[in-house]
Amino acid sequence: MPIIRKKLIAGNWKMNKTAGEGVTLAKEIVDAIGRETAVDAVLCPPFTALESVAHVLEGQAVKLGAQNMHPEKNGAYTGEVSAEMLRTLYVTHVILGHSERRTYFGETDAFINKKVLAALANELKPILCIGETLAEREGGSTLAVVQRQLEGALAGVKPEQLTSVVIAYEPVWAIGTGKVATTAQAQEVHAFIRELLTKLYGAPLAQKIRILYGGSMKPSNAPELLAQKDIDGGLIGGASLEAKSFVELVKAAMAVS
Ligand code: PEP
C-alpha cells in the first residue's frame, strides 16, 4: 500500500502583521478552512502576534508556528526566545534555517542543528529550510549544498524523532522574487532529498517525511507543483499574507490529496 503523506501548507508571515492585523488575517483563514483536516495548515506570525493568533486558532485545525527560536533553554541571549517559551503559547511548529536567517543573521548548519535538536527535545516540529543560491545553482552545486545543509541540520536526530521534522526545499533565488522553480527542477531536488533521507534513515521512514516546496508559490503555480510525487506541500511567504491566496493554496493542496 502506498504511503499517503498529508499535504501541509505553512504561511511564513516574516516581519509582517501587527498582533491586531494578525488576528484579522487568522480569523479570515479560520472562517474559510478552520475545520479542514484533509490538509495540514500552519500559520507562522512574528513573535509579537503569536499569543493573539493562538487565541483565534483555539479549537481549530489550523496550527501555530514560530519563525525562529534559540537553542538554549534560557539565559543571557538578548532578543531571543526559547522552545519552552514558544510551547507555552501553544506553538506546535517552528521554521528553522530559513535562508533569510542564514544570510542576514549568519546562521550556520551547526547552529541550525542545535536548534533542530532543541525543538525536537521540546516537542516542537521543525520546518527545516534548505536550498541553494542562484550562484550555487549556476555553479552546478545545488545537490551538494542541499546535502550539506540537510546532513548538517539533522546530525544527531534519532529515527523516532524524524517523523516530527518537516523539510522545506526553498531555492533562495525563488524566494520573494516571483521566480518559481520549474516543477522539474523542484521535483528533482525533492526526490534527491528523499533519497538522502532513505540513505540516512531507511525507506519506510523517508517515505513518511513531508518535503515542502517554498519560493514564490502562489495559487496559479501551486497545482502543478503540488501534483509532483515528492512535493508534499508549500512554505508560503508573500501569498500567505492575504487570506484569499492562502486559502486557495490550501484548497489546491486538498484537490491533489
Ligand atoms: C519564504 O520566505 O519561505 C518564501 C517561500 O517566500 P515567498 O513565497 O514570498 O517566495
Side-chain angles (χ1 to χ4, degrees), residues 10 12 14 95 98-100 129 168-172 174-179 213-218 234-240:
N12 175 11
K14 309 193 185 189
I95 298 172
H98 192 280
S99 65
E100 287 152 16
C129 302
Y169 167 58
E170 301 207 303
V172 180
I175 296 179
T177 58
K179 274 188 213 159
Y213 170 79
S216 299
M217 195 190 254
K218 46 186 185 280
L235 179 54
I236 320 296
S240 72

Side-chain angles (χ1 to χ4, degrees), residues 126-209:
I127 301 177
L128 168 65
C129 302
I130 55 177
E132 82 287 1
T133 62
L134 186 59
E136 288 163 342
R137 175 161 283 269
E138 288 176 349
S141 59
T142 296
L143 301 185
V145 168
V146 162
Q147 177 162 7
R148 189 203 73 222
Q149 292 177 339
L150 187 77
E151 290 178 351
L154 292 183
V157 172
K158 300 187 184 82
E160 61 272 23
Q161 294 177 307
L162 190 73
T163 44
S164 297
V165 178
V166 176
I167 314 280
Y169 167 58
E170 301 207 303
V172 180
W173 48 272
I175 296 179
T177 58
K179 274 188 213 159
V180 66
T182 65
T183 48
Q185 283 172 326
Q187 167 57 27
E188 182 201 5
V189 182
H190 281 238
F192 175 73
I193 292 169
R194 200 170 311 282
E195 221 176 273
L196 278 175
L197 291 172
T198 304
K199 279 188 199 139
L200 293 171
Y201 292 95
L205 209 43
Q207 285 299 322
K208 289 187 187 157
I209 306 307

Side-chain angles (χ1 to χ4, degrees), residues 103-143:
T103 306
Y104 305 138
F105 302 96
E107 292 196 5
T108 61
D109 291 325
F111 190 49
I112 293 161
N113 176 238
K114 283 190 184 168
K115 296 187 187 206
V116 169
L117 296 174
L120 291 169
N122 285 280
E123 290 172 18
L124 284 175
K125 297 180 197 314
I127 301 177
L128 168 65
C129 302
I130 55 177
E132 82 287 1
T133 62
L134 186 59
E136 288 163 342
R137 175 161 283 269
E138 288 176 349
S141 59
T142 296
L143 301 185

Side-chain angles (χ1 to χ4, degrees), residues 75-98:
Y77 300 99
T78 302
E80 295 292 322
V81 302
S82 70
E84 191 185 358
M85 292 168 185
L86 296 176
R87 281 297 307 275
T88 62
L89 296 179
Y90 305 101
V91 168
T92 54
H93 292 69
V94 58
I95 298 172
L96 296 178
H98 192 280

